[in-house]
Amino acid sequence: MDKDLTPWYSPEWFFPSTLRSFTWENSWMLWLLLAVPVVFVARWFIRQTTNQKLSVAVTRQDLHASPLALLRLIPDVLMFLTLVLLVTALARPQKSNEKVEQWTEGIDIMIALDISQSMLIEDFVPNRLEAAKEVAKNFIDGRVQDRIGLVVFSGDAFSMAPLTTDYDLLRAYLKDITYEMIESKGTAIGSAMAVVTNRMSESSAKSKVCILLSDGDNTAGNIDPITAAELATAYGIKIYTIVVGKEGLVPYGKDFFGRPNMVENTIDESTMRKMASIGGGEFFRATDNRALEQVFARINQYEKAEIKETRFKDTSDYYFVYVSWAVAFFLLWLLLKSTFISNILQD
């Protein structure tokens, strides 16, 4: 109910739904409502015991009861309602409209994803690359107001998506990623880190983060990964590195009979571990889909922007409505007090 639209004389102000919608500034005053009937009972008792009585002898057939005698109760009812309404007004019925505004300073995050041929190894379901794409998509879905970019690399590296808050665009890019996007074979981790640094060098974000995911072997590129990590750190970029895959025999493709081909896989995690140490981040090792999901979930928890909140409370008072009703009943009481109604049994 809007106080600007509902007139004070509307009966809606006495509906239970309206009264329940109020908060009461002086709620303790409502206990005085119990005192109002006590006052009227005490008043009636005093009148019965102190008023002068005149004995009149009449026969029983001369006594007649008339419904009009009830009219003399109207002034008392009006006074009763006046007091109830005044107590209600003193309790200060109010309605509050609280608004909350939240904002946050977003984080700039670059995801560098290895798309080399070794990422097609099927120790993940369906393979390392598709598993990485899926968890990266879920990671993006969980961010709010952060700018995120994509870098892909194999024998070379390039920026697939600049830092953006267009998460639909990022998801579309992730869907289109294949290992055939880059002709050069190998894994250029240092080049990927250099592209990330170039993309984030002009960022003014309070926090800059790189998530680098690879099978851990730097086999291409003309930039040393450690040197690239040191350069990134100079630009204030925190580096998280993730090595995916198992060592030993792992499935890769199928033979003529549909049986999985088993190939020997080695992982050198020392370079990725040192890059994370230089970049002030953390190194992770994931050997299956579940482990990779947990890694991204941990990074998601680590890199949370501080959410700031401002509350606005708009309070409207409605005591004037009940004061208006009380004044109306009081004026009506005064009017009837001067008429025959108050003395109908005596006249």
Side-chain angles (χ1 to χ4, degrees):
M1 179 183 297
D2 192 328
K3 70 176 183 179
D4 296 326
L5 300 179
T6 307
W8 69 268
Y9 50 82
S10 171
E12 291 183 46
W13 295 107
F14 300 98
F15 289 177
S17 59
T18 302
L19 295 173
R20 283 196 299 267
S21 69
F22 289 136
T23 56
W24 305 85
E25 178 70 18
N26 303 320
S27 57
W28 61 271
M29 292 290 295
L30 295 174
W31 289 102
L32 293 180
L33 292 174
L34 300 176
V36 175
V38 174
V39 170
F40 275 80
V41 170
R43 177 172 171 268
W44 173 84
F45 179 78
I46 292 172
R47 279 185 173 180
Q48 292 296 315
T49 56
T50 61
N51 281 3
Q52 293 183 345
K53 298 179 177 59
L54 179 63
S55 300
V56 178
V58 294
T59 60
R60 186 174 296 275
Q61 64 262 22
D62 292 330
L63 292 175
H64 299 287
S66 173
L68 292 176
L70 296 176
L71 292 177
R72 69 187 300 269
L73 298 177
I74 292 178
D76 286 343
V77 171
L78 291 174
M79 180 54 67
F80 180 88
L81 293 175
T82 298
L83 293 178
V84 168
L85 289 165
L86 285 176
V87 171
T88 302
L90 289 172
R92 292 286 296 276
Q94 298 175 337
K95 287 185 180 181
S96 297
N97 182 22
E98 188 174 56
K99 298 179 181 179
V100 179
E101 288 186 358
Q102 292 184 337
W103 74 98
T104 179
E105 294 182 5
I107 298 172
D108 281 353
I109 302 172
M110 291 294 295
I111 300 175
L113 183 59
D114 186 351
I115 63 171
S116 62
Q117 193 167 4
S118 60
M119 291 293 288
L120 300 181
I121 292 176
E122 296 167 356
D123 49 356
F124 285 69
V125 179
N127 56 49
R128 295 175 180 176
L129 179 58
E130 292 301 320
K133 287 165 57 176
E134 182 63 23
V135 294
K137 172 186 163 300
N138 294 336
F139 176 81
I140 291 170
D141 290 341
R143 308 304 295 186
V144 178
Q145 295 185 357
D146 297 324
R147 294 197 306 167
I148 301 176
L150 289 175
V151 170
V152 293
F153 64 97
S154 57
D156 200 356
F158 73 89
S159 175
M160 189 169 187
L163 290 166
T164 179
T165 55
D166 188 345
Y167 297 156
D168 288 335
L169 178 65
L170 291 170
R171 285 188 286 267
Y173 277 141
L174 275 172
K175 185 178 180 180
D176 293 337
I177 290 176
T178 68
Y179 84 97
E180 298 170 336
M181 296 181 71
I182 301 176
E183 293 183 0
S184 303
K185 304 305 178 184
T187 306
I189 295 175
S191 297
M193 198 68 245
V195 173
V196 168
T197 303
N198 184 54
R199 275 297 187 185
M200 305 187 83
S201 60
E202 297 182 1
S203 170
S204 58
K206 187 176 181 181
S207 181
K208 294 181 283 188
V209 174
C210 170
I211 303 173
L212 179 66
L213 187 147
S214 176
D215 59 14
D217 288 328
N218 183 68
T219 59
N222 52 9
I223 302 177
D224 177 63
I226 303 304
T227 302
E230 292 172 344
L231 179 62
T233 304
Y235 280 94
I237 301 172
K238 182 186 289 187
I239 304 171
Y240 291 97
T241 56
I242 307 171
V243 170
V244 296
K246 300 174 182 177
E247 292 186 282
L249 291 176
V250 291
Y252 179 65
K254 291 180 172 57
D255 62 17
F256 178 78
F257 299 101
R259 295 173 300 188
N261 291 318
M262 303 303 291
V263 297
E264 185 71 25
N265 183 63
T266 59
I267 293 177
D268 176 18
E269 63 180 49
S270 60
T271 298
M272 297 280 276
R273 189 181 293 276
K274 190 170 182 180
M275 290 177 68
S277 176
I278 292 171
E282 192 169 337
F283 168 81
F284 299 96
R285 176 77 182 274
T287 56
D288 55 36
N289 295 61
R290 179 61 181 159
L292 187 58
E293 291 172 2
Q294 292 174 344
V295 167
F296 270 83
R298 287 179 63 181
I299 296 174
N300 190 45
Q301 289 299 318
Y302 290 159
E303 298 300 328
K304 286 290 187 184
E306 180 182 2
I307 297 177
K308 301 178 182 179
E309 183 177 274
T310 302
R311 294 181 177 267
F312 303 91
K313 192 172 185 180
D314 181 21
T315 302
S316 299
D317 276 299
Y318 291 88
Y319 67 88
F320 70 92
V321 172
Y322 300 96
V323 170
S324 300
W325 276 98
V327 170
F329 283 133
F330 180 72
L331 293 176
L332 189 57
W333 175 81
L334 287 178
L335 178 64
L336 295 180
K337 197 69 176 165
S338 304
T339 65
F340 74 95
I341 290 179
S342 296
N343 300 296
I344 192 168
L345 292 186
Q346 283 83 14
D347 293 344

